[in-house]
């Protein structure tokens, strides 16, 4: 085990917020959130999601940041330090494994956005195109998605191998606001399409009749996925915080920004889905089918399309960096691997592990798990099982082993900052574990039951 050695810190408050928000804001907001909302009843899902963010997401965000700053360690090292000679470090390992699994399919979807940059530039987004057919054609082709998956993993390796330098931080500082503005433009365009109102009704008027245990599980899983919780990404990023950095407010900024972008993603997509006659329950293709259709209808669509998919790829990259960073930090901290070797070896292995997820759309299309194709299976197991389980165990750890009083003292070290009160300890000890355990139980039960019912 590693004792103390020189470790970097974020240079400023905004450096941390941007990096953590960069991790949180990604495909989860603009690709995963809208399609899950589309499959799970729209407004009802949105509402449940927001409740999950407040009652589970925010308390756990604080939880991870505190553990990170207290120990200045990667997830495995952090648990080892707070509870030496106990098996709690296994929770950190579960996180490392989750990061590994998520990145292997995340990179494939990020590859789709790279492919769509290319498609936009070569003029594929013309009005009247069958965009659903175009998307299916892309993902079912053999080599194209593999090549873009390789390109994306290559970019991720490059950044992580070099350390998270000022370049990325400076770039994100410009690009994230640009993504925000562009989303506003897209929302404006989507809302003014004839027939957009039905999409707004779907997104804003809840109908709870469709809610099942699976819906709740998807909402919790999405809260974890979108906030980068449950696998130690925020422990790792929090481990580079300085003692004078404040936690409650920084955590709130990250959670708030992430939620804002996800909600905006829905406003850009659902009005367009209904106006253009697509099915909101189309699944993972939703964003890649509806937005190109909107671009094709817009004047300057090629320009906006290019910009949008570029920014989506960048948002994905800043998230992928944090996924790979968790795994790399573990090898570097605990096993003393040189950073470059760790990044390259892990990146290549993750690339290979991801291959079945894309082959599931062609040569492996016969392979399914509980009725899901392979990419959905990776996504379901990591997002809906591993992350909530990681969050549940981390809450139990802080709530009952390390102690919420110790965590509160660590979080409240900075005088004058927004303080973490006893309400937080209550949420971490009772509300969070009970809610996650119950929702996981019913969600998995429902998923299996509806599969068996055909
Ligand atoms: N939060 C990212 C997104 O919403 O796209 C995905 C992610 C990154 C999940 C880092 C988990 C993680 F640790």
């Amino acid at each position: 085990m590693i004792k103390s050695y020189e470790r970097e810190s974020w240079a400023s408050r905004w450096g941390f917020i941007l990096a953590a928000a960069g991790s949180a804001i990604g495909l989860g907001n603009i690709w995963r959130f809208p399609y899950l909302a589309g499959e799970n009843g729209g407004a009802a899902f949105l509402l449940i999601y927001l409740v999950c963010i407040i009652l589970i997401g925010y308390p756990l965000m604080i939880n991870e940041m505190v553990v990170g700053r207290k120990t200045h360690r990667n997830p495995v090292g952090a648990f080892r330090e707070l509870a030496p000679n106990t098996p709690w470090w296994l929770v950190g390992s579960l996180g490392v494994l989750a990061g590994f699994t998520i990145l292997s399919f995340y990179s494939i979807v990020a590859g789709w956005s790279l492919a769509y940059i290319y498609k936009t530039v070569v003029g594929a987004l013309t009005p009247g195109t069958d965009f659903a057919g175009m998307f299916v054609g892309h993902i079912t082709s053999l080599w194209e998605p593999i090549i873009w998956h390789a390109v994306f993993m290559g970019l991720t390796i490059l950044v992580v191998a070099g350390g998270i330098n000022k370049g990325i931080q400076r770039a994100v500082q410009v690009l994230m606001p640009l993504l925000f503005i562009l989303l506003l433009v897209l929302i404006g365009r989507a809302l003014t399409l004839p027939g957009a109102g039905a999409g707004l009704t779907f997104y804003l008027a809840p109908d709870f009749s469709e809610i099942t245990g699976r819906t709740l599980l998807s909402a919790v899983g999405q809260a974890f996925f979108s906030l980068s919780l449950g696998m130690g990404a925020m422990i790792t990023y929090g481990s580079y915080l300085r003692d004078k950095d404040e936690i409650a407010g920084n955590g709130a900024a990250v959670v708030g920004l992430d939620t804002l972008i996800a909600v905006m993603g829905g406003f850009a997509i659902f009005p367009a889905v209904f106006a253009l006659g697509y099915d909101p329950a189309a699944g993972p293709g939703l964003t890649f089918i509806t937005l190109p259709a909107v671009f094709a209808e817009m004047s300057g669509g090629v320009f906006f399309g290019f910009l949008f998919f570029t920014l989506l790829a960048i948002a994905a990259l800043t998230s992928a960096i944090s996924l790979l960073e968790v795994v790399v930090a573990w090898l570097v901290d605990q096993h003393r691997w040189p950073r470059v070797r760790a990044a390259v070896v892990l990146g290549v292995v993750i690339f290979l592990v991801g291959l079945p997820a894309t082959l599931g759309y062609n040569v492996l299309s016969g392979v399914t798990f509980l009725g899901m194709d392979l990419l959905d299976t990776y996504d379901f197991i990591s997002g809906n099982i591993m992350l909530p389980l990681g969050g549940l165990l981390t809450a139990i750890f802080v709530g009952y082993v390390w102690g919420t009083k110790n965590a509160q003292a660590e979080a409240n070290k900075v005088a004058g900052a927004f303080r973490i009160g006893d309400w937080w300890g209550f949420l971490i000890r009772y509300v969070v574990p009970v809610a996650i355990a119950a929702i996981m139980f019913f969600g998995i039960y429902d998923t299996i039951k509806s599969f068996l019912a055909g």
Side-chain angles (χ1 to χ4, degrees), residues 23-24 26-29 102 106 225-226 228 231 233 319 322-323:
S23 166
L27 297 170
N29 305 61
I102 293 176
Y106 199 84
F225 189 93
S226 192
S228 304
M231 52 156 279
S319 299
S322 72
L323 286 162

Side-chain angles (χ1 to χ4, degrees), residues 20-33 49 64 95 98-99 102-103 106 222-234 237 258 315-316 318-324 326 387:
S23 166
I25 297 168
L27 297 170
N29 305 61
I30 293 161
W31 163 71
R32 201 172 186 273
F33 174 76
Y49 176 72
E64 287 203 16
I102 293 176
L103 186 52
Y106 199 84
Q222 175 59 18
F224 278 95
F225 189 93
S226 192
L227 294 172
S228 304
L229 293 175
M231 52 156 279
M234 292 301 170
Y237 274 20
D258 185 70
T318 56
S319 299
I321 291 165
S322 72
L323 286 162
L324 188 56
V326 170
L387 296 185

